[in-house]
Amino acid sequence: QLQASGGGLVQAGGSLRLSCTASGRTFSNNAMGWFRQAPGKEREFVSSISWNGGETKYADSVKGRFTISRDNAKNTVYLQMNSLKPEDTALYYCAADLTSIVVRTTPHYWGSGTLVTVSS
């Protein structure tokens, strides 16, 4: 139901934009977000956006570099990632929750992952 895309290999300092498109149902009333899991590490929260885009939240590690947005008409949430660092290398997952303002630590709906690799 949630398909992530846009990952790839990029040099440090570069940019990528991830997309997550919902199919089969709409999440226009749900908070959506991004999580990531680096090799050998626990999955961690990256960013969250409210149902109407009015409220956003970021992990301290990406604040000022990443921007989350959504287009409810396209059932899609985006993650614009700038000034990428090698430590941003991870499998990025999109998610949607039953809440409307912010996704919880363990959202109700998980999407596929897309791999981001940042070379130094």
Side-chain angles (χ1 to χ4, degrees):
Q1 288 184 323
L2 292 169
Q3 180 69 45
S5 62
L9 174 63
V10 64
Q11 288 189 329
S15 298
L16 282 175
R17 188 176 82 154
L18 306 184
S19 299
C20 176
T21 300
S23 61
R25 61 157 291 173
T26 177
F27 290 99
S28 58
N29 294 319
N30 302 75
M32 298 186 73
W34 292 91
F35 292 73
R36 68 185 182 186
Q37 186 167 18
K41 295 188 177 181
E42 298 284 320
R43 185 156 50 190
E44 64 176 2
F45 168 80
V46 175
S47 184
S48 175
I49 188 166
S50 63
W51 69 278
N52 64 350
E55 294 191 36
T56 58
K57 184 179 178 182
Y58 298 93
D60 288 342
S61 59
V62 307
K63 204 170 293 183
R65 300 187 297 122
F66 290 10
T67 302
I68 191 170
S69 61
R70 65 189 296 165
D71 185 340
N72 286 340
K74 295 182 178 179
N75 283 331
T76 300
V77 62
Y78 305 96
L79 186 68
Q80 178 66 43
M81 306 186 296
N82 299 329
S83 303
L84 283 161
K85 304 175 181 180
E87 51 264 43
D88 293 319
T89 294
L91 192 58
Y92 284 71
Y93 296 91
C94 62
D97 211 344
L98 300 176
T99 55
S100 61
I101 303 301
V102 63
V103 295
R104 294 169 293 179
T105 305
T106 52
H108 192 76
Y109 303 95
W110 286 102
S112 62
T114 185
L115 182 62
V116 173
T117 304
V118 185
S119 62
S120 58

